[in-house]
Amino acid sequence: MSDLVERQFPAKTLMTGLRAIGYSFSSAVADIIDNSISANAKEINIFSDPLSEVPYFCVLDNGCGMSAKELDNAMLPGSDRSEKAECEQELGRFGLGLKSASLSQCREFTVASKRFGKIHAMSFDLDIIDAENRLLLKMLGPKEIDTLPQIHNLAKYETGTLVLWTKFDKIEGLAKNFEDSFRRLVAETKKHTELVFHRYYKKVEIYFHGKRIEKRDPFLLDSIGRQQTGRKSEIYVDGAIITVIPYTLPFANTLTPEEKALLGNPKSIYDDQGFYLYRNKRLISWGSWMHMGIRSELNKLARIQVDIPSSLDSVWMLDVKKSSAKIPDKIKDRIKMAVEDSIVRSKRTARFPGAKEQSVEFKVWDRISEHEGKIRYQINRDTPSIVALYNALGQSEQNLLDIALSQIECYLPKYSIANDSTDALTIINSGADCEDEQLIQEIEAILALCNPNKRKKMFDDMFMAEAYQRLLKHKEEIRKRVLNND
């Protein structure tokens, strides 16, 4: 049997490696904010001062804080995370983020944390570690703690943590003017923070120099009637669920100033198309189709929200920085199928910007996830034409209609459709073949079955149905024709 030999690692080399993981200033700060959110912070304050005697950048939160023992563990590269439970609030992963993110931007960082009424603080100083080639950390005494920037704000909290960066050797080495470069990086970080944590906006208040960050929404969810939400899909992988929701933005030239602000006032909507990958609601990657070959001018309005649980980190090859991931080959085709709806809508909206579209609330077919690996397609009984028919029938006839619809669902020719698609045959079942006049006559027929008091609502509902979306731009003309007496 082989002997086991313990080796002491060269601390200087390890620290050099940690510094070279590839963080940007913004992604490094996001990693620190992750820790604050995981600590159940409700308020996070970010301060910086490039003109201080010792320039600094710091993140202060009112989370649960750490005891001396917990702080000691947190400062260890590859800290013990065995007691960290998997949950939506937990955004950490390797136990490296605090150290690797901080050291990627500065040569010294200090963590002060308050719990049980006491503040404890420790520092990483690469100048000391390089000189001794050992992992030596500084334990700060009360007088040293009292001199830390913003420590008075931590003292006001019942519990909380302050992460302080100093000795910005990388910025100093590259900047023509340190102050200008520092302020630019902080401004970029604010914008980055607004987008990355936009789904935490209601839950956590984040401030830069006392001013709360702006609200962001890359999908314009509140732009009802103009933004379009596609069908939600659930993909089961290794016992976990990946959720995919496609969105289509309104045509770029129709965006209001408020909508542009929610998008972060991008220079080009084209650049932000693609997947928006979230891990526990924290944005990981965006503005890319992840090498799926979909990027184009006609797809520029498409945005695909993909939610993955932290249990699938290894499947998605999530890196230490939590800033990039790769779609697993085994689900790539299923993801691509899920986004087709958004792609089609983006192309249609880009080609016909004058047609003001609204969300399709009444699709003919609904896709229902039953359990792992199984789905069911069923006819949407809330489609206006079916609702009108139900209301016009007696109980016996309604039962017959239910039987007929159920038989259509049960005997869906799924294998023939799959084979035809594989053989690249064109399936011509399409509402596009219907003439506009035929569709208008259908609307008249459906309204004729309705209670006169409900015709106006039924009319509006029909234009949120899949079958009549193409008539939307003529809605008011059709209203005058078919509701003239109402």
Side-chain angles (χ1 to χ4, degrees), residues 3-39:
D3 293 330
L4 299 178
V5 180
E6 183 179 359
R7 289 283 183 260
Q8 295 295 323
F9 57 81
K12 182 176 179 179
T13 303
L14 174 63
M15 295 302 107
T16 300
L18 278 180
R19 302 198 78 195
I21 286 178
Y23 282 97
S24 66
F25 194 92
S26 297
S27 62
V29 174
D31 237 7
I32 306 302
I33 294 175
D34 284 342
N35 293 337
S36 296
I37 292 175
S38 296

Side-chain angles (χ1 to χ4, degrees), residues 16 104 137 143 180 252 278 301 322 372 392 430:
T16 300
S104 73
L137 305 186
K143 291 184 179 180
D180 290 345
Y278 296 84
L301 304 179
K322 298 192 292 290
E372 186 164 348
S430 171

Side-chain angles (χ1 to χ4, degrees), residues 36 64 82 109 139 168 172 179 184 194 211 224 229 251 258 266 306 320 331 336 340 365 393 463 465:
S36 296
C64 61
S82 58
F109 77 92
M139 297 285 296
F168 298 96
E172 290 172 347
E179 180 187 349
R184 176 181 54 79
E194 288 169 345
K211 183 178 180 181
I224 299 171
T229 302
F251 188 67
E258 293 76 18
V306 181
V320 174
I331 65 168
K336 199 164 186 175
E340 285 180 356
W365 288 94
L393 297 175
F463 285 88

Side-chain angles (χ1 to χ4, degrees), residues 156-194:
K156 294 176 184 177
Y157 292 142
E158 184 175 344
T159 60
T161 298
L162 172 71
V163 178
L164 176 70
W165 293 351
T166 52
K167 296 184 181 179
F168 298 96
D169 60 323
K170 292 190 176 181
I171 301 177
E172 290 172 347
L174 297 173
K176 183 176 180 181
N177 179 290
F178 175 79
E179 180 187 349
D180 290 345
S181 294
F182 190 91
R183 293 191 188 281
R184 176 181 54 79
L185 288 171
V186 172
E188 290 173 356
T189 298
K190 177 177 177 290
K191 290 185 177 181
H192 183 86
T193 301
E194 288 169 345

Side-chain angles (χ1 to χ4, degrees), residues 279-385:
R279 175 185 182 267
N280 291 351
K281 295 186 178 180
R282 191 264 209 205
L283 187 57
I284 298 295
S285 175
W286 66 93
S288 165
W289 287 110
M290 294 185 170
H291 308 292
M292 293 183 70
I294 306 173
R295 192 175 190 84
S296 76
E297 176 66 23
L298 292 177
N299 295 340
K300 65 184 179 183
L301 304 179
R303 308 283 185 275
I304 315 299
Q305 176 180 314
V306 181
D307 278 292
I308 63 172
S310 54
S311 59
L312 294 180
D313 283 351
S314 60
V315 175
W316 283 80
M317 299 183 190
L318 189 69
D319 66 1
V320 174
K321 305 186 301 297
K322 298 192 292 290
S323 61
S324 67
K326 180 181 179 182
I327 297 178
D329 289 339
K330 62 182 177 181
I331 65 168
K332 191 171 287 188
D333 288 342
R334 292 155 72 186
I335 291 262
K336 199 164 186 175
M337 289 172 60
V339 307
E340 285 180 356
D341 183 69
S342 182
I343 297 301
V344 169
R345 291 178 183 281
S346 177
K347 289 180 177 177
R348 184 168 66 221
T349 305
R351 284 176 175 144
F352 306 107
K356 183 180 178 182
E357 298 199 52
Q358 63 189 77
S359 300
V360 175
E361 292 191 15
F362 305 113
K363 289 180 174 292
V364 175
W365 288 94
D366 283 331
R367 182 180 184 271
I368 310 297
S369 295
E370 294 286 353
H371 48 81
E372 186 164 348
K374 294 186 178 181
I375 59 170
R376 173 168 51 89
Y377 284 89
Q378 68 179 31
I379 295 173
N380 182 4
R381 267 61 168 183
D382 292 328
T383 299
S385 57

Side-chain angles (χ1 to χ4, degrees), residues 195-196 198-199 217-219 243-245 247 249 263 266 268-279 282-290 300-308 316 339:
L195 183 57
V196 168
H198 75 91
R199 290 173 72 181
D217 179 6
F219 312 118
T243 305
V244 183
I245 305 177
Y247 298 100
L249 299 186
L263 293 175
S268 170
I269 283 185
Y270 177 91
D271 294 331
D272 292 333
Q273 65 179 278
F275 291 110
Y276 283 67
L277 178 63
Y278 296 84
R279 175 185 182 267
R282 191 264 209 205
L283 187 57
I284 298 295
S285 175
W286 66 93
S288 165
W289 287 110
M290 294 185 170
K300 65 184 179 183
L301 304 179
R303 308 283 185 275
I304 315 299
Q305 176 180 314
V306 181
D307 278 292
I308 63 172
W316 283 80
V339 307

